[in-house]
Amino acid sequence: GAGVSQSPRYKVAKRGQDVALRCDPISGHVSLFWYQQALGQGPEFLTYFQNEAQLDKSGLPSDRFFAERPEGSVSTLKIQRTQQEDSAVYLCASSLEREAFFGQGTRLTVV
Amino acid sequence: GQNIDQPTEMTATEGAIVQINCTYQTSGFNGLFWYQQHAGEAPTFLSYNVLDGLEEKGRFSSFLSRSKGYSYLLLKELQMKDSASYLCAVRGNTGFQKLVFGTGTRLLVSP
């Protein structure tokens, strides 16, 4: 596609509910990143994939967060048993060499 | 660890010049990026510096001094549409291609 596509754009979840956020990277981009952005803050790194391999998951805040990219293209970020502190915008970015291209994000609100 | 500092907020007048500073402390250095982010939208790539000096691209320029751990983004001939957050991000030489972002500088351009 023309850019990085994320879905849904908005998600409201009840506390304790599981959610799945989808990212379609730019075709051919080897690297894929997930970031979490709280209101008024910069993006915080969550995890990084090179093709299907998850090479860095040091930013995942707890074991409730899980990400996968099974075929080296589309990626899913799953959050289990959502908590209010999980409310944020989740950004996906893909990269070929230098700069990363970001999607518009999924705004998750946990109520 | 990695630490990136930039001012929280700046204001400027249409037509003026503004300089947004960024200082960083990282374990290794493999490039500094500036991104622009309008409210509710994806960060978009503005500039990349890996060597010392000034990179100019139209109305935007970015400067880097690796020895000082310092960069700035210079915006000339400000327009109302330049009102946005400007994110400084550093790529270290660990953690693969991970970008570490500052909190962002919110720029408000007034008439």
Side-chain angles (χ1 to χ4, degrees):
Chain A
V4 179
S5 177
Q6 293 187 245
S7 61
R9 283 293 313 277
Y10 304 92
K11 176 69 179 178
V12 178
K14 290 185 178 179
R15 194 167 44 186
Q17 188 179 353
D18 296 351
V19 298
L21 313 180
R22 178 188 168 104
C23 173
D24 275 278
I26 295 172
S27 178
H29 279 196
V30 168
S31 300
L32 185 145
F33 308 81
W34 283 98
Y35 284 84
Q36 181 190 59
Q37 187 173 28
L39 191 63
Q41 300 295 314
E44 295 276 347
F45 171 80
L46 293 177
T47 187
Y48 165 66
F49 288 87
Q50 188 175 85
N51 295 307
E52 69 278 4
Q54 188 175 21
L55 299 183
D56 188 342
K57 53 181 181 179
S58 61
L60 295 177
S62 77
D63 58 8
R64 297 185 295 104
F65 287 70
F66 172 76
E68 60 183 5
R69 193 187 186 197
E71 296 177 1
S73 178
V74 171
S75 177
T76 304
L77 176 68
K78 297 179 180 177
I79 309 173
Q80 296 177 322
R81 305 181 303 281
T82 51
Q83 304 293 315
Q84 280 193 314
E85 62 262 27
D86 300 335
S87 295
V89 174
Y90 290 85
L91 293 167
C92 176
S94 70
S95 173
L96 188 57
E97 288 182 350
R98 194 180 68 179
E99 66 265 32
F101 296 86
F102 283 83
Q104 288 194 291
T106 294
R107 181 178 296 278
L108 173 65
T109 304
V110 181
V111 297
Chain B
Q2 294 169 304
N3 190 39
I4 299 169
D5 288 314
Q6 49 181 131
T8 303
E9 202 167 281
M10 298 182 71
T11 58
T13 307
E14 200 174 10
I17 300 172
V18 71
Q19 177 175 313
I20 302 174
N21 296 324
C22 172
T23 58
Y24 64 91
Q25 294 170 313
T26 60
S27 49
F29 178 83
N30 196 19
L32 186 142
F33 297 75
W34 285 95
Y35 279 81
Q36 179 192 59
Q37 186 177 29
H38 286 99
E41 296 185 12
T44 54
F45 170 77
L46 289 178
S47 70
Y48 169 72
N49 295 72
V50 67
L51 299 176
D52 290 352
L54 188 69
E55 294 282 340
E56 296 186 82
K57 193 192 289 187
R59 293 190 299 116
F60 293 5
S61 304
S62 57
F63 171 83
L64 175 67
S65 168
R66 288 172 296 170
S67 62
K68 295 181 180 176
Y70 169 69
S71 172
Y72 67 73
L73 180 69
L74 193 72
L75 292 78
K76 303 175 187 174
E77 301 167 16
L78 281 172
Q79 302 175 10
M80 299 293 288
K81 66 178 182 179
D82 298 329
S83 293
S85 284
Y86 291 86
L87 302 164
C88 173
V90 174
R91 187 162 68 198
N93 58 15
T94 59
F96 304 97
Q97 295 186 50
K98 177 173 71 179
L99 287 178
V100 177
F101 283 85
T103 55
T105 299
R106 200 168 76 174
L107 174 67
L108 179 63
V109 180
S110 57

